[in-house]
Amino acid sequence: VGPHPGSWSGTEKYAPGRLAGGFAFDGASSVRIADAEDLRIQGAMTLAAWVRLDRVGCDQIPLLCRPSSNPGLPAYMLR
């Protein structure tokens, strides 16, 4: 929804969410959003999310990740 649609990588699954529908990730799937100028963080950022884990482990799978292949762009990750 919005000007930056995402595309699924892996199995596309949805689940009931806190306020509406939500994504259901199985550890092998993800949603990718193409790089865009207005998505580049220029200053402070606040992120809020409702996350329900079906299991807790030590495998350190990131919830949100933006790797940077360009030295001028920062990378960020939420684990």
Side-chain angles (χ1 to χ4, degrees), residues 4-79:
H4 304 289
S7 60
W8 278 96
S9 174
T11 304
E12 184 175 335
K13 290 175 59 177
Y14 300 91
R18 175 89 172 152
L19 300 175
F23 297 125
F25 295 104
D26 59 9
S29 60
S30 63
V31 174
R32 297 188 61 106
I33 300 170
D35 186 28
E37 184 73 31
D38 60 331
L39 294 177
R40 296 182 185 161
I41 299 170
Q42 301 297 318
M45 178 183 94
T46 300
L47 174 70
W50 290 99
V51 178
R52 189 190 92 200
L53 301 175
D54 289 333
R55 66 179 176 83
V56 177
C58 296
D59 47 9
Q60 296 293 311
I61 297 171
L63 297 175
L64 171 71
C65 178
R66 183 197 181 273
S68 179
S69 59
N70 182 332
L73 296 176
Y76 51 86
M77 179 179 292
L78 171 66
R79 289 184 183 231

